[in-house]
Amino acid sequence: MQVQSMHFKARASEALADATLQANLHKFGSAGLAALRARAVVEYGAAEFEQLRDAAASIRDRGLDNLPALLERFEREATRRGATVLYARTGTEIRDLVLEIAARHGLKKAVKSKSMLSEEAALNDALQGAGVEPIETDLGEYIIQLAEEPPSHIIAPAVHKSKDEVSDLFVKFHATERKTDIPALTREAREVLRSHFLSADLGISGANFLIAETGTGAIVTNEGNGRMVTTLPRVHVSITGIEKVIPTLEDFATLMRVLTRSATGQPISNYVSVFTGPKGAGDADGPEHMYFILVDNGRTGLLGGEMQEMLRCIRCGACMNHCPVYKTVGGHSYGWVYPGPMGSVLTPSYVGLEKALDLPHAATLCNQCGVVCPVKIPLPDLLRTLREKQVDRGLRPPIERLALRAWAWAAQRPTVYALGTKFAARFLRMLGGGDRMVSHLPFAGGWTDGREFPSGPGRTFRELYAARKKR
Amino acid sequence: MRVGLFVTCLVDLVRPSVGFAALELLEAAGCDVTVPATQTCCGQPGYNSGDREAAKALARKVIAEFEGFDYVVAPSGSCSGTIKTHYPHLFDDDRGMRERAERLAAKTYELTDFLASVAKLARVPGRFDGTVTYHDSCAGLREMGVKAQPRALLAKVPGLAVKEMATPEQCCGFGGTFSVKFGEVSAAIADRKCDDVEASGADALVLGDVGCMLNIEGRLRRRGNRKTKVLHVAEVLAGRDGRSE
Ligand code: SF4
């Protein structure tokens, strides 16, 4: 997928002006996943859930600290059970490997369950180009595939679409009578998808986790499509990031407890599919060939450095569900695969700092994300670290650098600072007029385009305090 | 108790009445309060803009100015949070400074937390006839654990009743320089906060951080709301209306 993250501001602006999108986002924000998570945490016990977050974070840390050894173990165990383990450094290599597999087995139709890696690699375009028809089978992914849009949320990819928009799409593509209630729409999608499941010869999935001790991949879905994708077609390819490997099945169980609660508030998802190698002798179902493609695509760059904590991410989406910015501008504004706080850290880390300059700054650092993250990633701290890297690499606009330097210089010199603020206070007061509200700030129009600026009384605390002491 | 009052740069520039209110409240609680004259800013604008060197320089200055007091108190969750939760990390590579930063952090408090938990202020000087709704500013809530303290203090104000808004813990969209860099997004987030404030039906919005005050009040007024008062919690507790200096 092309990186469009340089255009955050323009895209956010469009999103704010799009009334339908705003209505959809508003609905999502007020009745959405954040509330479900909150309820699940209360049911589980808030203190116990905190312990679980600690445990989950340390499992992920252990995995990352021993990544090479764990990957070897995973590869050994998976291979022993008949799967083929391949590695891809970049999105291009993912595409090449998948196309090679498709050519080798003569595959013509791919059913896919949700895979963010496939988005990173823009795999659908490549498949189509090579004559393999890709069909997204996660309902949300299916909807946006019809709409030819990228996902706007990592677990609810079509959350930006209203029911009406989905009805329109289905009428257009299914040539059926217009349905308006959600169960009927879902039923219609299931019927269409069923025939694809049965006729596909390739299944492409992601993997929420790779379990090293057994060479197993695991995916979590609510629609059961993942089960179909990983068992029905002749060939199954699971594409996932190298950082997803964890040591044991026990660890998997612990992580599952935080994952689904954080994502959708469920104690467990409707389906948890674990796949270990292809169909064996005596197995009733399963693919004839099973491949794992383990992808780097920027991840090793974070290992061992100050951004490593980000690799703990288990893709639950809680950070975006709680993000004031995400909830206001939606996922497409972020311009690449991953939106919200985790995306604002991942995108510049994976594709390059200079390709996503706005993202680390497009956050209020409110830490509503950090306190809900199931693996305790300090997202605001990481965003701040990225801001520091931008400064270190001279990537900030000169005018901003100049302003900051002038401010820092003055703030270290109390007499200069007092003089500067004395004039600033008077200037603001003058602009504020009778109601003490400034409607246009000359150097900070970004503020006054949408707000007044309360001007204050025109004298600083410092001055007033000194005057009072003299009295 | 010798308390150093960290006034904060925003209070100094646009809302002096909060500084005086804090002073009065601390004195009412029996503290011996000093306002170091050389103070300027805690360095957060630099820190959050990625200018670590500027942040460190200002942290050094604040540490030197305030380490002699028994307590450091600021009428802001955001500035006290910077001192308490971020200063020590600024000096990860400098043991001596790190220890000084940690010692300062240990005695730094947000105003209402200090009044309720340390100074145990029994009677508040203020009076407010009407209803207020309290916004939990992010740093106060999530860095300093300020939630019950301002409400407990507000409960002591004669004539005042608290009417909670639906989502008091939701960020108002201020975010320091974010509010100027991404003004449009910031104002849109503030809009949701304004909806919530107005839906509560309270006569006044009360909160503990001037940054968020400017943001929410600025948006309320731009929307044409001239009615809902916006006051700092210190002003309400001290019986000031925000214009009396
Ligand atoms: S950063 Fe944390 S909250 Fe966000 S998706 Fe990853 S695990 Fe979930």
Side-chain angles (χ1 to χ4, degrees):
Chain A
M1 185 172 160
Q2 275 226 341
V3 185
Q4 300 276 348
S5 303
M6 282 309 272
H7 311 301
F8 177 86
K9 216 178 251 181
R11 288 171 154 244
S13 196
E14 280 165 26
L16 288 169
D18 181 339
T20 318
L21 176 66
Q22 284 299 313
N24 297 346
L25 286 171
H26 203 77
K27 233 203 234 140
F28 167 72
S30 50
L33 299 169
L36 295 173
R37 175 197 176 273
R39 210 175 56 204
V41 170
V42 170
E43 274 166 19
Y44 191 83
E48 289 80 0
F49 196 73
E50 275 310 293
Q51 287 168 6
L52 205 53
R53 286 174 73 218
D54 282 327
S58 83
I59 289 172
R60 296 295 293 126
D61 278 343
R62 259 186 293 133
L64 294 170
D65 289 340
N66 300 303
L67 196 57
L70 273 182
L71 285 170
E72 274 170 32
R73 173 127 197 242
F74 175 82
E75 183 180 342
R76 211 165 47 236
E77 296 302 326
T79 312
R80 203 153 69 83
R81 289 167 174 85
T84 307
V85 179
L86 305 168
Y87 292 89
R89 259 171 311 208
T90 59
T92 316
E93 290 189 6
I94 300 178
R95 292 196 293 269
D96 292 349
L97 286 173
V98 175
L99 294 187
E100 226 175 272
I101 293 167
R104 182 175 322 139
H105 299 285
L107 308 172
K108 286 284 163 248
K109 183 192 267 191
V111 280
K112 298 177 68 202
S113 79
K114 206 152 61 60
S115 155
M116 298 314 281
L117 262 304
S118 142
E119 299 288 342
E120 283 187 40
L123 185 59
N124 286 1
D125 293 345
L127 286 169
Q128 214 128 33
V132 183
E133 186 192 0
I135 311 283
E136 296 289 351
T137 66
D138 170 275
L139 182 56
E141 289 282 349
Y142 177 68
I143 291 166
I144 60 169
Q145 188 183 21
L146 294 183
E148 293 183 34
E149 284 172 17
S152 71
H153 188 288
I154 58 170
I155 67 158
V159 67
H160 59 284
K161 287 251 171 281
S162 69
K163 197 176 63 184
D164 279 345
E165 291 172 289
V166 175
S167 299
D168 293 345
L169 277 170
F170 280 13
V171 169
K172 184 168 159 205
F173 286 93
H174 298 164
T176 49
E177 179 190 322
R178 188 183 169 87
K179 320 259 183 322
T180 46
D181 67 304
I182 291 173
L185 287 166
T186 313
R187 213 173 310 122
E188 183 172 316
R190 289 181 95 92
E191 275 158 25
V192 174
L193 287 173
R194 188 136 308 240
S195 70
H196 289 306
F197 283 127
L198 294 171
S199 56
D201 39 23
L202 171 60
I204 297 176
S205 74
N208 289 83
F209 300 105
L210 299 170
I211 300 142
E213 69 173 347
T214 50
T216 299
I219 59 173
V220 173
T221 72
N222 273 326
E223 296 160 16
N225 61 314
R227 183 74 43 96
M228 308 281 232
V229 165
T230 55
T231 51
L232 283 179
R234 210 148 51 78
V235 179
H236 171 209
V237 179
S238 167
I239 313 170
T240 197
I242 49 170
E243 84 283 12
K244 290 293 162 59
V245 65
I246 53 171
T248 65
L249 282 166
E250 185 73 41
D251 293 333
F252 172 54
T254 306
L255 288 166
M256 279 301 296
R257 279 186 213 120
V258 277
L259 173 58
T260 54
R261 285 184 174 87
S262 301
T264 52
Q266 292 167 287
I268 192 160
S269 48
N270 295 351
Y271 296 84
V272 179
S273 304
V274 291
F275 34 91
T276 313
K279 176 173 172 174
D283 282 355
D285 50 23
E288 288 160 29
H289 304 276
M290 148 100 250
Y291 295 87
F292 285 102
I293 300 179
L294 309 188
V295 185
D296 183 342
N297 212 23
R299 284 152 178 83
T300 45
L302 277 69
L303 267 183
E306 49 194 345
M307 307 301 292
Q308 179 174 311
E309 285 167 301
M310 193 59 227
L311 294 177
R312 291 208 291 254
C313 178
I314 55 174
R315 306 288 190 270
C316 72
C319 54
M320 54 203 77
N321 300 339
H322 291 79
C323 175
V325 177
Y326 175 91
K327 286 194 284 183
T328 307
V329 301
H332 288 160
S333 302
Y334 292 80
W336 197 52
V337 181
Y338 303 104
M342 54 88 83
S344 292
V345 177
L346 281 178
T347 305
S349 304
Y350 286 178
V351 308
L353 213 51
E354 65 291 339
K355 290 201 184 121
L357 286 178
D358 270 351
L359 294 191
H361 293 267
T364 62
L365 305 183
C366 67
N367 200 23
Q368 283 172 275
C369 52
V371 297
V372 296
C373 174
V375 286
K376 299 186 96 164
I377 299 172
L379 291 152
D381 291 342
L382 297 180
L383 290 170
R384 200 183 288 108
T385 303
L386 289 168
R387 294 179 187 187
E388 287 174 1
K389 285 177 191 270
Q390 289 187 2
V391 169
D392 291 347
R393 286 194 28 205
L395 293 170
R396 296 309 302 166
I399 179 82
E400 181 185 314
R401 293 294 304 133
L402 198 70
L404 261 175
R405 230 172 266 170
W407 163 82
W409 184 85
Q412 290 171 68
R413 289 164 180 77
T415 336
V416 179
Y417 187 85
L419 193 69
T421 48
K422 181 175 165 176
F423 284 115
R426 280 164 178 71
F427 183 56
L428 284 171
R429 178 70 188 84
M430 191 193 82
L431 294 176
D435 60 355
R436 293 192 184 183
M437 287 293 154
V438 183
S439 298
H440 178 71
L441 276 174
F443 303 107
W447 180 288
T448 41
D449 286 347
R451 279 157 297 200
E452 302 291 299
F453 185 86
S455 76
R459 302 190 62 196
T460 62
F461 174 84
R462 191 187 310 273
E463 293 176 75
L464 296 165
Y465 183 69
R468 185 200 272 213
K469 275 190 117 176
K470 258 188 224 143
R471 262 188 263 138
Chain B
M1 272 186 287
R2 293 187 57 245
V3 172
L5 176 62
F6 187 74
V7 176
T8 81
C9 60
L10 283 178
V11 167
D12 181 46
L13 185 65
V14 294
R15 198 80 175 194
S17 112
V18 173
F20 290 111
L23 193 60
E24 285 157 20
L25 291 166
L26 289 166
E27 285 173 349
C31 304
D32 168 14
V33 189
T34 305
V35 187
T38 57
Q39 62 177 296
T40 56
C41 168
C42 69
Q44 196 189 140
Y47 185 51
N48 285 347
S49 300
D51 193 339
R52 205 177 170 85
E53 285 316 307
K56 276 163 97 164
L58 284 164
R60 277 205 185 84
K61 178 172 168 295
V62 171
I63 292 170
E65 283 162 346
F66 285 87
E67 64 191 344
F69 297 104
D70 300 333
Y71 296 100
V72 182
V73 177
S76 156
S78 172
C79 311
S80 58
T82 296
I83 300 175
K84 198 177 183 76
T85 63
H86 297 293
Y87 273 11
H89 299 293
L90 282 173
F91 301 105
D92 277 338
D93 48 3
D94 177 347
R95 205 156 141 228
M97 272 314 293
R98 185 175 167 114
E99 279 168 9
R100 284 171 69 192
E102 276 168 357
R103 277 198 296 276
L104 189 75
K107 54 188 177 188
T108 298
Y109 287 83
E110 182 273 342
L111 177 71
T112 62
D113 184 24
F114 183 80
L115 292 173
S117 325
V118 181
K120 311 236 189 289
L121 181 70
R123 258 197 72 255
V124 298
R127 162 162 199 102
F128 185 94
D129 290 304
T131 52
V132 307
T133 192
Y134 192 86
H135 165 68
D136 297 290
S137 290
C138 297
L141 178 69
R142 282 176 277 273
E143 286 179 354
M144 302 299 282
V146 174
K147 175 80 186 175
Q149 305 90 322
R151 290 172 174 80
L153 291 168
L154 286 170
K156 296 183 198 282
V157 177
L160 180 151
V162 176
K163 270 191 185 173
E164 295 286 356
M165 65 183 99
T167 54
E169 298 185 359
Q170 182 68 38
C171 173
C172 74
F174 172 61
T177 53
F178 172 83
S179 61
V180 179
K181 278 186 190 149
F182 299 94
E184 208 182 344
V185 182
S186 175
I189 300 172
D191 228 19
R192 295 189 173 186
K193 181 54 72 175
C194 293
D195 290 343
D196 205 4
V197 170
E198 287 175 348
S200 78
D203 302 318
L205 166 70
V206 176
L207 66 169
D209 260 283
V210 171
C212 316
M213 276 177 80
L214 296 172
N215 184 39
I216 307 173
E217 178 168 18
R219 184 62 203 162
L220 279 171
R221 302 303 174 239
R222 180 61 63 90
R223 281 159 57 126
N225 177 328
R226 312 257 144 217
K227 190 176 86 218
T228 311
K229 291 191 188 117
V230 180
L231 296 165
H232 192 282
V233 61
E235 294 172 332
V236 177
L237 298 174
R240 289 172 160 271
D241 69 0
R243 285 206 173 200
S244 50
E245 281 89 28

